[in-house]
């Protein structure tokens, strides 16, 4: 009942909000009064900058747009060097709408379409607080991702139809390049979507749509909108299906939030981006409601954003994701993590030379004086001790010197990792839809309070991944308090393989030398959810102390053919204090079993007893 | 024979030139060494600016491009206020390649394609001398003019097919708008081209392709590439024919040359512009060879530039047009004129307040100290006297104060006009093709020596117009020495009506009160030409003293239906010292007659006598 009321109230609130705005009409800055009307197709950048400047003279400024289409080009965009987390380091970033140094600002696009051109970052929020952006549809006429329809396949070729207006392309030396407004980009990967269901074709994913060595194709143009890929592809997509063709770098976020606080995003369609969707780093208190990262159906698209949906790197405070939707993304809808860095050299008793280890996460101001840092043993992944930062000094984009107030504890050595504990958020993700996307649904690596509730998952990989590593991706950190409840995990989950997809819920930290006595993650409760698996693995958990899987309903789906190598409903590895209790297993659900590794039956409570077959290795 | 040798030598010279260039390789600045390679589709503007700066350090700099495609966007373009003659005053102008203050520079694009985006001015040459630009194809992906194919016509509608990739369009409130990179532009005019011949459909021109009040149409979209124009059009184009649909302002030249000297343009394709093709104003010594202002056949286009081909406004020195070609233009291929200004007020014995009278020709520095200015009586169009300029002071974009060294002669009054005699060029136009274009072929209004020889004309209006007026267009001035020889005027000439199209060669100054005793133009010789008319009027001449039409061959064509209201082969009005001699009239050429107005038979010598019927009104 509570949920139903919320559903009724939500749209009401949206309707009521404009009224509230007009009450403060004196602070409203009308974009039209600066000479910018919608639908002119002219470059809006310069005038919006002027209008934004004018907002600085108001107490509670609301930048208000007449409803319609606005176009944004790189021309006049603020160009600024930003080191964006999990983003390719191509600088400067182009920022058509640059919200810098604002305290209190609302941008109300009033349901307008903001159409971007070339590789740009639609919104940038830097060193600002109490910012609201709302009621806008963000898109590109020529997106940074392409799609094609499979017309024919044979032993020697695949014929593709590509709308050359939406996805202009050329063939150079037999290779397919997409071209657009200021760029040319070679095709480097693809995903296969079923034409009618818009689902990712089962058992494709990162295991390959076109089989091994597909890059050895030779393309020829058959007509204006048709190409032939000549090659003996070891796997072929189904005729009529849609290939989403990945190209271009991920070099700008859709909305980039850095060193900011109290940011509210509401009623935003993000149909396309040039990289991650909404990227927040080193920011605090983020409230996203009704964010729709979905394909633009009116344009016949199967893809939405270029990479992740909402990415939180080294944030703190409270994050809320409410009534959002994510479909057609080319990477995870939500990823919450810190950035681990590696110790390269101990410079003195208090000083370490450290390095950003992932090439797409460099150059950030990793810590500030006063931050608490955890020292992580890189083989056990255990946090050995903590230190307080005295100073941070960047040497270049990858290396920095960090000095601590007190002497660094013995045993902290080169190759060990540092985690910035001060920049770890609480997060609530609710009432949202995680539709068909490449990769997983939600990635969580934060010690803050995590609530994932009342969501629907149809992710083609794992629905939820709780990872943590300091050896490969360097995305920390260990969780301490996770509640996953009242979600629906539909049968589309785990229909394709990607990295870290051991089960529908996969708790899979990367620990080189695992020790059952010192688990990495803690306190994870999965309760009152509905699972609808067609395959075996429901839960995979490694190195967790305090894991509860209770009162869930698991109902078999016969929609897909099981294929996962993991034939266990539950796989537990080196966990402690596990409870699997009062779950309802309907139909001929597969497995009904638990595999225990590096732990014993004493570490687990199963109720009713013997409701699951237990295997121990 | 001489002509044949020239034809053989011309391509040889083109081949030999690069060798000559490499001899001075030390002064060659390679664009690639600044990191700009062809075919990347990236915005070339910024790097080319850097490379141009580097040219300033060389003695004989040659800016050299690797062959390929380069793209130019408004971003980073120099933005400068230019008042361009016969161009809509929208400022600032965007100048991606801005050649300013150079003495000696060659830009050798090495056969590259320069593709422009949005409304920009591809090349700007300002306050420079000894500049060469060569070996480049200038085009737009999305041009500022559109075209459509006529699919169907009925009493109530016309259906058009428009390639929405090349010519993106939208329909708003029933009206057709074209959209592009940074603009939206309503359709305001059209020309009908025959599908196979690429000719302008006879008897269309400015008299209307769609009949009267065609603008009252209501458009609806039938499919992605098809629209219906609902209206009872009083004229309908032929099914299968091509409509060139005019929209957008003429706000940037293709190549703009101002206050410069010794400019050489060679081997340039100008497939499209955002206004006039090559506009030179207040510049001296201009040498254009192998300039091809033609439709880009590879893109299936019937149109080339947006307006005129080569426009010379207030230039001086020697102008040479050699081995050029003009087809598919939406206005005159060549126009040579000065700009007359009107006297608004006599401020003192030496000072006049004057005004630019045509809204598209304003804001120019009309005169400099030391220039010679003619004072023209606006009713008789006679130059009454001359004065030397002491100073020029602009008051705003239309009005200025001009002060003379000596007192202004009596009788010079308000509404009379001024002509700047110091800025009048000699011009030679030879070995060129004036193909199918809207409007006329060549417009000449200069007192300098004019030679028009060895050209081919297929203009749909008059082939050559010698005008001059100071009451409507304010394009001066009277000619004094014109030789038109060895040209071929093909039967396509004068197949449609436009302003000032009285005959294939039309000498038609606008003189409110004409006086035979003081002719406006002088010394025009038309000799050894071939005319191939299907209609009556070959020559119309008003107010000329010294007019010779001799040794020409006139051969009837039966390709088109005569329609011109002027039923005289020769029409002479208020001329003196006319000779029409030794012309060969072949076939059943129409008329074989002369109409004399405001003059008598004594003013003309006809040889052989009685070879033409003479009518006198």
């Amino acid at each position: 009942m509570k949920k139903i009321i919320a559903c009724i109230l939500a749209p009401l609130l949206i309707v009521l909000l404009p009224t509230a705005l007009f009450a403060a009409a004196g602070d409203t800055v009308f974009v039209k009064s600066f000479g910018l009307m919608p639908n002119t197709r002219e470059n809006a950048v310069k005038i919006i900058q002027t209008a934004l400047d004018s907002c600085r003279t108001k107490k509670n400024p609301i930048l208000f747009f007449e409803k319609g289409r606005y176009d944004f080009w790189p021309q006049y965009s603020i160009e600024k060097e930003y080191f964006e987390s999990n983003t390719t380091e191509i600088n400067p970033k182009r920022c058509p709408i640059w919200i810098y140094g604002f305290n209190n600002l609302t941008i109300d696009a009033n349901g307008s379409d903001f159409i971007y051109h070339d590789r740009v970052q639609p919104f940038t929020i830097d060193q600002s607080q109490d910012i609201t952006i709302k009621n806008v549809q963000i898109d590109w006429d020529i997106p940074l991702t392409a799609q094609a329809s499979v017309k024919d396949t044979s032993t020697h070729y695949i014929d593709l139809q590509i709308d050359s207006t939406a996805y202009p392309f050329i063939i150079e030396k037999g290779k397919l390049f997409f071209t657009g407004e200021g760029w040319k980009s070679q095709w480097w990967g693809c995903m296969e979507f079923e034409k009618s269901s818009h689902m990712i074709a089962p058992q494709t994913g990162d295991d390959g749509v076109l089989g091994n060595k597909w890059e050895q194709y030779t393309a020829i143009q058959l007509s204006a909108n048709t190409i032939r890929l000549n090659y003996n592809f070891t796997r072929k997509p189904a005729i009529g299906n849609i290939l989403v063709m990945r190209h271009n770098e991920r070099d700008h976020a859709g909305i980039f939030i850095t060193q900011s606080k109290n940011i509210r995003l509401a009623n935003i369609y993000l149909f396309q981006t040039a990289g991650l969707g909404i990227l927040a780093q080193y920011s605090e208190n983020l409230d996203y409601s009704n964010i729709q990262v979905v394909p633009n159906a009116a344009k016949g698209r199967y893809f939405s954003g270029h990479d992740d949906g909402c990415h939180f790197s080294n944030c703190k405070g409270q994050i809320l994701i409410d009534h959002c939707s994510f479909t057609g993304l080319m990477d995870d809808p939500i990823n919450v993590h810190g950035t681990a860095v590696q110790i390269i050299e101990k410079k003195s008793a208090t000083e370490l030379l450290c390095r950003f280890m992932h090439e797409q996460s460099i150059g950030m101001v990793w810590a500030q004086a006063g931050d608490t840092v955890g020292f992580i043993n890189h083989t056990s992944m255990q946090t050995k001790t903590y230190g307080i930062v005295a100073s941070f000094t960047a040497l270049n984009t990858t290396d920095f010197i960090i000095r601590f107030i007190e002497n660094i504890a013995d045993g902290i050595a080169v190759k060990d990792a540092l985690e910035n504990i001060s920049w770890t958020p609480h997060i609530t993700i609710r009432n949202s839809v995680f539709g068909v996307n490449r990769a997983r649904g939600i990635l969580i690596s934060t010690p803050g309070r995590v609530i994932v509730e009342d969501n629907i998952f149809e992710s083609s990989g794992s629905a939820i991944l709780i990872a943590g590593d300091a050896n490969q991706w360097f995305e920390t950190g260990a969780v301490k308090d996770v509640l996953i409840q009242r979600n629906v995990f539909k049968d589309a989950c785990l229909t394709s393989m990607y990295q870290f997809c051991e089960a529908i819920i996969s708790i899979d930290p990367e620990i080189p030398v695992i020790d059952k006595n010192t688990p990495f993650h803690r306190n994870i409760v999965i309760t009152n959810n509905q699972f609808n698996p067609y395959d075996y693995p429901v839960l995979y958990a490694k190195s967790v102390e305090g894991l509860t899987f209770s009162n869930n309903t698991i109902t078999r789906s016969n929609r897909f053919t099981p294929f996962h190598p993991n034939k266990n409903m539950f796989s537990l590895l080196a966990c402690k204090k596990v409870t699997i209790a009062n779950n309802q297993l309907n139909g001929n659900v597969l497995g009904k079993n638990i595999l225990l590794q590096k732990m014993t039956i004493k570490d687990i409570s199963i109720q009713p007893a013997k409701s699951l077959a237990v295997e121990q290795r």
Side-chain angles (χ1 to χ4, degrees), chain A residues 434-446:
Chain A
F434 296 85
V436 174
N437 299 286
R438 183 187 158 271
R440 294 130 307 221
I442 297 174
L443 270 65
I444 296 169
S445 309
T446 177

Side-chain angles (χ1 to χ4, degrees), chain A residues 347-387:
Chain A
K347 303 292 286 186
S348 75
T350 59
E351 281 180 321
L352 296 174
L353 168 63
C354 295
R355 182 171 293 165
F356 291 108
M357 296 305 289
H358 190 264
E359 63 180 10
Q360 285 181 318
S361 288
I362 60 173
M364 298 181 282
V365 178
W366 186 80
Q368 296 164 26
D371 283 356
T372 300
V373 166
F375 296 87
I376 302 171
N377 178 291
H378 77 283
T379 52
S380 72
M381 289 296 288
Q382 289 300 308
T383 301
K384 294 296 183 189
T385 177
Y386 296 90

Side-chain angles (χ1 to χ4, degrees), chain A residues 314-317 338 419-426 445-448 476-477:
Chain A
N314 305 288
C315 288
K316 69 181 179 184
E419 176 185 16
N420 191 333
I421 299 296
S422 294
W423 290 94
T424 54
H426 308 290
S445 309
T446 177
T476 56

Side-chain angles (χ1 to χ4, degrees), chain A residues 130-161:
Chain A
D130 299 305
I131 306 297
T132 297
I133 298 173
K134 63 185 180 184
N135 307 329
V136 63
Q137 287 96 242
I138 293 170
D139 202 0
W140 266 249
D141 274 347
I142 300 179
L144 293 318
T145 304
Q147 73 179 42
S149 174
V150 180
K151 300 310 286 180
D152 194 14
T153 65
S154 83
T155 53
H156 295 90
Y157 62 80
I158 296 174
D159 288 349
L160 299 178
Q161 185 168 348

Side-chain angles (χ1 to χ4, degrees), chain A residues 205-395:
Chain A
D206 282 352
D207 277 354
V209 170
L210 301 178
N212 206 16
K213 298 189 179 175
W214 67 270
E215 304 89 342
Q216 295 180 4
Y217 76 89
T218 302
I220 56 169
Q221 189 147 2
L222 302 180
S223 73
N225 284 340
T226 322
I227 63 165
R228 173 164 294 177
L229 305 175
N230 284 307
Y231 187 64
N232 185 3
F233 294 98
T234 56
R235 185 190 175 278
K236 289 164 196 73
I239 292 172
N241 272 2
I242 304 300
L243 294 192
V244 170
M245 308 181 84
R246 304 179 72 192
H247 62 86
N248 240 307
E249 283 289 344
R250 50 159 83 178
D251 58 6
H252 290 82
I255 301 175
F256 178 52
I257 302 164
T258 184
Q259 294 177 269
S260 293
K261 191 175 172 179
N262 306 337
I263 307 302
R264 182 171 168 246
L265 307 178
N267 313 328
I268 296 177
Y269 280 79
L270 208 52
F271 288 127
Q272 168 68 180
T273 59
L276 304 182
I278 305 173
L279 166 61
Q281 64 190 38
Y282 294 98
S283 292
E284 184 176 355
N285 300 337
L286 305 159
D287 183 333
Y288 302 173
S289 63
N290 194 28
I291 307 296
Q292 303 288 324
V293 191
V294 295
N296 191 331
K299 296 179 179 175
R301 293 193 196 144
Y302 284 69
F303 62 88
S304 58
H306 192 269
D307 302 292
D308 292 11
C310 298
H311 201 107
F312 304 91
S313 172
N314 305 288
C315 288
K316 69 181 179 184
Q318 180 66 49
I319 297 173
L320 175 63
I321 308 276
D322 197 5
H323 285 99
C324 295
S325 188
F326 305 90
T327 305
L329 281 163
M330 291 299 108
D331 217 333
D332 309 303
I334 293 180
N335 189 347
V336 189
H337 68 89
T339 303
V341 294
Q342 196 175 69
I343 300 172
I344 302 299
E345 189 186 342
K346 195 164 176 178
K347 303 292 286 186
S348 75
T350 59
E351 281 180 321
L352 296 174
L353 168 63
C354 295
R355 182 171 293 165
F356 291 108
M357 296 305 289
H358 190 264
E359 63 180 10
Q360 285 181 318
S361 288
I362 60 173
M364 298 181 282
V365 178
W366 186 80
Q368 296 164 26
D371 283 356
T372 300
V373 166
F375 296 87
I376 302 171
N377 178 291
H378 77 283
T379 52
S380 72
M381 289 296 288
Q382 289 300 308
T383 301
K384 294 296 183 189
T385 177
Y386 296 90
I388 306 294
V389 177
S391 70
F392 172 92
T393 310
L395 300 180

